[in-house]
């Protein structure tokens, strides 16, 4: 963008510390304005989009052979996709939506899913999360999962809702508990994840910086942890 790096050996510490304050202020203002613009653009996107074909995705990556091969491989397995809001919680939202949609279409899977969700409450306490700080998110996540399928012996009588309706009502709760489950699994299976840390001193530090903050994107470790946690 407009940021120009310092170039040349003559640059000194004195040069760096004597930059006029108004220059820094102007740069900060520009950064904040850009961040606000990005946030507004993200918030204008639906939390979860409608199903669309993969042809648009193929056209988007038509000039990128590496990605195009992956899209074509996806097209052999799937005939549609959904987009999610690009706000840093894309994976957590997409994964939870997909799990709920699967349970909605195959209600025989719901009792097992609910059992696994209930087990995550004890998992999060073993991981060191303060129950009073996260219990509301857990309870709302569980209630939402109960609502995606018809009543059965392990499900209380609750109003049925589609996954889209649930995210419109409870997006924040679903995202936060998904992150708590991810962090809890990583902390209680530290030996599985610590060998892959590259810039964090511990799994606990990784979770504090890369999992718990609500705007942090997920990468391979978070994806592995959450999918293993729920077994889906």
């Amino acid at each position: 963008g407009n940021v120009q790096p310092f170039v040349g050996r003559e640059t000194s510490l004195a040069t760096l510390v004597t930059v006029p304050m108004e220059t820094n202020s102007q740069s900060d203002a520009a950064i904040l304005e850009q961040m606000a613009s990005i946030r507004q653009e993200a918030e204008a996107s639906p939390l979860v989009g409608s199903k669309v074909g993969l042809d648009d995705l193929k056209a988007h990556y038509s000039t990128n052979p590496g990605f195009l091969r992956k899209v074509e491989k996806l097209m052999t397995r799937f005939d549609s996709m959904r987009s999610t809001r690009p706000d840093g919680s894309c994976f957590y939202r997409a994964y939870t939506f997909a799990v709920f949609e699967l349970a909605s279409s195959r209600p025989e899977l719901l009792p097992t899913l609910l059992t696994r969700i209930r087990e995550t409450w004890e998992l999060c306490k073993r991981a060191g999360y303060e129950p009073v700080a996260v219990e509301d998110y857990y309870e709302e996540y569980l209630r939402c999962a109960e609502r995606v399928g018809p009543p059965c012996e392990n499900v209380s009588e609750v109003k049925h809702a589609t996954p889209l309706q649930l995210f419109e009502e409870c997006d924040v709760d679903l995202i936060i508990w998904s992150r708590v489950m991810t962090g809890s699994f990583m902390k209680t299976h530290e030996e599985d994840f610590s060998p892959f840390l590259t810039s964090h001193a511990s799994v606990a530090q990784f979770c504090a910086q890369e999992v718990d903050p609500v705007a942090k994107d997920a990468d391979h470790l978070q994806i592995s942890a959450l999918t293993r946690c729920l077994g889906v």
Side-chain angles (χ1 to χ4, degrees):
N2 297 323
V3 179
Q4 297 182 357
F6 288 103
V7 180
R9 297 177 182 272
E10 68 278 12
T11 302
S12 66
L13 180 60
T15 307
L16 300 181
V17 299
T18 56
V19 175
M21 288 298 293
E22 58 268 21
T23 302
N24 288 336
S25 299
Q26 291 169 2
S27 299
D28 291 345
I31 292 172
L32 290 173
E33 184 178 351
Q34 184 181 26
M35 290 175 64
S37 176
I38 293 172
R39 184 165 56 250
Q40 290 173 0
E41 183 178 350
E43 290 174 353
S45 303
L47 293 170
V48 180
S50 301
K51 283 186 177 182
V52 296
L54 274 69
D55 290 335
D56 288 346
L57 191 65
K58 183 177 180 180
H60 181 77
Y61 288 109
S62 60
T63 59
N64 188 323
F67 273 96
L68 185 59
R69 285 194 296 271
K70 295 177 181 179
V71 173
E72 290 173 342
K73 189 173 182 179
L74 285 174
M75 295 178 76
T76 65
R77 299 181 57 199
F78 306 100
D79 58 7
S80 61
M81 68 175 189
R82 296 179 186 270
S83 61
T84 60
R85 179 174 293 177
D87 59 0
S89 291
C90 323
F91 162 69
Y92 300 99
R93 184 178 295 115
Y95 174 77
T96 301
F97 185 93
V99 170
F100 283 4
E101 193 169 46
L102 177 64
S104 179
S105 63
R106 296 181 57 187
E108 71 275 10
L109 301 178
L110 187 58
T112 299
L113 175 63
L114 294 177
T115 296
R116 288 174 173 169
I117 293 171
R118 293 186 181 105
E119 291 171 350
T120 64
W121 177 242
E122 292 301 322
L123 186 73
C124 96
K125 290 192 289 185
R126 293 204 309 272
Y129 286 95
E130 194 65 40
V132 69
V134 297
E135 61 184 343
D136 288 346
Y137 303 112
Y138 161 73
E139 291 172 357
E140 196 60 49
Y141 191 104
L142 180 60
R143 278 195 291 266
C144 285
E146 290 177 341
R147 293 174 63 189
V148 300
C152 66
E153 59 179 348
N154 292 328
V155 181
S156 58
E157 293 290 337
V158 290
K159 182 180 178 182
H160 175 80
T162 67
L164 281 172
Q165 290 171 328
L166 292 172
F167 271 89
E168 289 294 337
E169 296 174 18
C170 308
D171 180 68
V172 173
D173 303 277
L174 295 172
I175 294 301
I176 291 179
W177 188 251
S178 295
R179 289 180 178 275
V180 172
M181 288 191 291
T182 302
S184 297
F185 192 88
M186 291 189 69
K187 292 175 184 177
T188 54
H189 297 77
E190 187 170 356
E191 67 283 356
D192 294 343
F193 297 96
S194 57
F196 300 99
L197 300 181
T198 57
S199 56
H200 298 82
S202 65
V203 168
Q205 185 188 74
F206 178 90
C207 291
Q209 296 178 2
E210 306 296 337
V211 179
D212 297 336
V214 293
K216 278 289 189 176
D217 291 313
D219 209 332
H220 179 75
L221 295 184
Q222 295 96 314
I223 294 170
S224 175
L226 185 54
T227 54
R228 288 175 60 189
C229 183
L230 288 183
V232 181

